[in-house]
Amino acid sequence: MRTPRLALPAVGFVVVLWMLLHCGSELVAAVPPAGWYDYSAYTDCRGQPEPALYDGGILKFGNSDDPDGYRTTETGVFSPAFVVYNLNKTTMYTFSCWVKLEGASAALITARLAPDNTGARCIATVLARSDCWAFVKGGFVLDWPTQTSVIFFQNADKTPMKITVASGSLQPFTTDQWAMHQQDTIRKRRKRVATIHVADPQGARVVGASVSVQQTTKDFPIGSAIASTILGNQAYQQWFVDRFNAAVFEDELKWYSTEPASGYLRFDVPDQMLAFVRSHRVMVRGHNIFWENQDATPRWVKNLTSPDDLRSAVNTRIQSLMTRYRGEFAHWDVNNEMLHYNFYEQRLGPNASMEFFSVAQDADPLATLFMNEYNVIETCDDPFSTVDTYVAKLKELRTGGAILEGIGLEGHFSKPNIPLMRAILDKLATLGLPIWFTEIDISNKFDAQTQAAYLEQVLREAYSHPAVSGVMLWTALHQSGCYQMCLTDWNLNNLPTGDVVDRLLNEWRTLQAGGLTDAHGAYSFSGYLGEYILTVSYNNRTTQSTFSLSPGDETRHINVQM
């Protein structure tokens, strides 16, 4: 069936709703979900749309008169739309569809939700094209139940064009179901089953041996930013290493810190910070080589009017930084926030970033090179950093020859939209690159308890998503506070956010497991990935060894001889 043409921006919501109710658009009521969360996503444009996820969920898109379920109308002024009844508070709604354009070769299309005449919010975006179908995936959570809501589509610049939507789906999940999906992924991706087999020198099973396993290191990196304030502060240092196995320097490696004037290199502070993390076996990210934001560019660099002088300066920057620290930093954010800013590309040409990546790869081939960007995962309201815009830039760099091996998501959240967050991760995961949350915090416009609640939501979703490889908090501690969110006060007393982090860190490790070997001389347990100490005792004899649980679907078997 065809959707009636609706002048959404020009007429009131009540009129829109009346038209939908009286012109034959789909009317559906929210019903309990069936099935499991579907992580399927697509970032390639396709000749035909794929079938709707969840068979459309509570959007039953096709009928006998319209077997393909396409809806075509003009957008900018008019929009294809769905009406849904009785959406529930706190339910996780995941939305998806396929989109194709006419009248423009490409455009940024936004899917918006308008609940009960309370304004519209972004729930998904896509870079759509006229020659193929593009996949939209997003979602939302409501703060209050609604009687009637409209999902509609707009092109970002409001120019008239035709938009066709197919295979629409809206699938609800309760908070318990969402948490169950998270736990299932953690069980499959962050843990592994191990069986300890105990035998005597002749190979006979030892029944009733006491087995104890204790995790000593965690495989999954969870860390925080640190600043020079950690140097010489033994209490802060101990607090940090008791919790985290990864770090990033807040400002100390940025160009304005290491070369405040041309040729005046200062590496003493990052050298000391690197010695600290190295002495505690903490992996560390390099942040950053360049920052496209003009306001974060050293003044003397901004004053270089000649492209040749600027090119010489940036090449010297890469060489001085990465030659000094070759092999020390696991990652480098090569050119920070290039979707929002373009200081270097304006002055050195559109291939400047590709050159940065190429030179950085030659200078330190063992480091993983990252893009790093904000508002990709936090929202879909920023037209500069939608998920498809990020994907397009990644593909452009790689096509141009850049060795780009990691996706950095800053994660400076206001109120998080968890279903949207998962959907964006699903789409980024199609690239097959490591995904890291590099700078997680929650806006300080919220009170301490709200910050903590939102932080827990974000951390649980990040840790449980199968495509995420690491998590970094942006909580470097200063006497005056932190960028947006601290975990403790200056005296290292936990704030509510710190309580959340401590609780989750304990939840996501195997503190200790143990028991007696069974009739087969075996003891089994499920443990978080990482390194372990194994102690086995029997008849006044004790043996101790180490083993690791690495990623894998099979049970890990460890043989012990008493």
Side-chain angles (χ1 to χ4, degrees):
M1 64 193 266
R2 300 289 184 186
T3 302
R5 295 182 175 185
L6 308 174
L8 283 170
V11 302
F13 181 87
V14 173
V15 177
V16 172
L17 180 57
W18 184 91
M19 293 174 68
L20 287 167
L21 292 171
H22 291 83
C23 296
S25 282
E26 298 273 355
L27 299 177
V28 292
V31 296
W36 207 247
Y37 182 83
D38 192 332
Y39 287 96
S40 299
Y42 311 88
T43 50
D44 55 329
C45 214
R46 301 200 166 189
Q48 294 295 327
E50 296 291 328
L53 299 183
Y54 313 104
D55 193 29
I58 60 175
L59 299 181
K60 300 304 180 184
F61 210 131
N63 57 43
S64 58
D65 298 325
D66 183 24
D68 294 322
Y70 295 172
R71 295 178 175 211
T72 305
T73 190
E74 290 189 8
T75 187
V77 176
F78 302 109
S79 172
F82 300 102
V83 180
V84 286
Y85 283 151
N86 301 325
L87 298 180
N88 298 317
K89 176 183 177 181
T90 71
T91 296
M92 306 285 193
Y93 290 96
T94 180
F95 174 75
S96 61
C97 66
W98 291 79
V99 170
K100 189 176 182 181
L101 302 179
E102 291 182 40
S105 59
L108 174 62
I109 302 299
T110 302
R112 294 192 175 276
L113 174 76
D116 281 353
N117 198 18
T118 57
R121 69 179 70 177
C122 177
I123 62 171
T125 59
V126 70
L127 287 177
R129 290 165 45 180
S130 61
D131 59 340
C132 57
W133 290 88
F135 184 63
V136 181
K137 195 171 190 184
F140 59 91
V141 180
L142 295 174
D143 294 325
W144 57 85
T146 65
Q147 292 183 341
T148 309
S149 299
V150 177
I151 296 174
F152 63 96
F153 299 82
Q154 288 183 327
N155 58 308
D157 63 9
K158 304 296 192 298
T159 55
M161 66 184 66
K162 280 189 176 181
I163 177 172
T164 303
V165 179
S167 300
S169 174
L170 182 65
Q171 178 68 18
F173 296 96
T174 67
T175 54
D176 287 343
Q177 288 169 327
W178 199 268
M180 186 168 56
H181 302 159
Q182 291 176 333
Q183 289 302 317
D184 184 67
T185 302
I186 289 172
R187 177 181 61 82
K188 293 175 179 176
R189 300 300 181 106
R190 311 297 181 211
K191 302 180 76 175
R192 190 172 178 182
V193 174
T195 297
I196 315 296
H197 301 272
V198 182
D200 65 17
Q202 289 72 44
R205 300 166 179 158
V206 176
V207 178
S210 175
V211 177
S212 173
V213 294
Q214 184 172 8
Q215 188 173 16
T216 56
T217 64
K218 295 174 289 187
D219 183 69
F220 188 88
I222 299 179
S224 172
I226 55 175
S228 59
T229 52
I230 204 167
L231 297 176
N233 188 334
Q234 292 186 352
Y236 184 12
Q237 292 179 5
Q238 191 61 52
W239 175 92
F240 185 91
V241 298
D242 284 346
R243 287 160 177 79
F244 300 122
N245 59 358
V248 62
F249 301 169
E250 185 179 46
D251 283 314
E252 287 75 9
L253 283 172
K254 291 170 184 170
W255 199 354
Y256 56 68
S257 295
T258 62
E259 194 175 4
S262 179
Y264 177 53
L265 298 177
R266 296 195 57 183
F267 291 111
D268 53 323
V269 172
D271 282 353
Q272 294 175 63
M273 295 172 67
L274 185 59
F276 160 67
V277 296
R278 189 192 299 124
S279 68
H280 292 282
R281 300 195 302 165
V282 172
M283 73 85 68
V284 60
R285 303 189 73 251
H287 176 77
N288 52 52
I289 302 176
F290 297 109
W291 194 347
E292 283 284 356
N293 186 351
Q294 177 172 302
D295 293 339
T297 303
R299 181 176 300 178
W300 68 269
V301 175
K302 289 188 285 188
N303 290 337
L304 296 173
T305 57
S306 162
D308 289 339
D309 289 345
L310 179 58
R311 184 169 285 105
S312 175
V314 299
N315 286 334
T316 301
R317 159 69 173 170
I318 296 177
Q319 293 297 338
S320 65
L321 185 70
M322 300 194 69
T323 300
R324 183 182 189 90
Y325 295 122
R326 181 184 175 99
E328 296 278 10
F329 291 91
H331 304 162
W332 277 105
D333 294 328
V334 175
N335 197 6
N336 204 44
E337 299 175 356
M338 67 177 79
L339 296 182
H340 286 92
Y341 309 106
N342 61 353
F343 172 82
Y344 296 101
E345 298 207 344
Q346 271 190 336
R347 289 156 179 77
L348 299 177
N351 294 326
S353 294
M354 283 184 241
E355 294 174 14
F356 293 167
F357 277 93
S358 177
V359 176
Q361 174 67 19
D362 290 340
D364 191 351
L366 297 181
T368 302
L369 305 183
F370 275 69
M371 268 188 71
N372 193 47
E373 192 57 75
Y374 69 91
N375 277 356
V376 179
I377 199 75
E378 299 95 320
T379 180
C380 61
D381 280 316
D382 188 339
F384 297 104
S385 54
T386 68
V387 59
D388 283 19
T389 306
Y390 199 176
V391 169
K393 188 64 175 181
L394 285 163
K395 289 182 175 179
E396 173 192 321
L397 289 168
R398 297 178 81 183
T399 301
I403 308 297
L404 198 159
E405 302 161 311
I407 298 172
L409 304 171
E410 292 186 15
H412 296 294
F413 286 90
S414 185
K415 181 178 181 179
N417 179 348
I418 299 301
L420 174 67
M421 179 178 168
R422 183 179 292 187
I424 289 171
L425 289 171
D426 293 347
K427 292 193 75 171
L428 291 173
T430 64
L431 300 177
L433 295 172
I435 299 174
W436 275 66
F437 283 82
T438 57
E439 304 179 19
I440 288 178
D441 59 21
I442 306 296
S443 171
N444 60 16
K445 71 181 182 182
F446 301 110
D447 62 69
Q449 295 297 337
T450 303
Q451 269 191 321
Y454 289 164
L455 178 63
E456 180 166 358
Q457 292 177 18
V458 169
L459 291 179
R460 285 192 181 279
E461 189 60 41
Y463 182 75
S464 65
H465 196 283
V468 174
S469 298
V471 168
M472 303 292 291
L473 298 161
W474 202 247
T475 50
L477 186 60
H478 304 266
Q479 280 189 297
S480 58
C482 305
Y483 172 67
Q484 289 285 327
M485 182 189 80
C486 288
L487 301 181
T488 72
D489 62 21
W490 181 245
N491 295 316
L492 303 176
N493 298 309
N494 265 13
L495 300 173
T497 49
D499 289 337
V500 165
V501 169
D502 283 352
R503 177 158 44 82
L504 292 179
L505 289 174
N506 281 328
E507 180 180 327
W508 295 334
R509 67 177 298 175
T510 310
L511 294 175
Q512 192 163 2
L516 301 177
T517 55
D518 60 18
H520 299 281
Y523 168 76
S524 299
F525 76 104
S526 176
Y528 285 90
L529 304 181
E531 301 292 325
Y532 286 80
I533 293 176
L534 167 63
T535 304
V536 180
S537 300
Y538 184 73
N539 281 350
N540 297 322
R541 287 176 294 164
T542 298
T543 182
Q544 195 170 77
S545 59
T546 61
F547 68 94
S548 63
L549 289 183
S550 55
D553 296 327
E554 299 179 346
T555 300
R556 171 87 158 87
H557 292 272
I558 299 105
N559 293 294
V560 176
Q561 186 182 94
M562 292 298 296

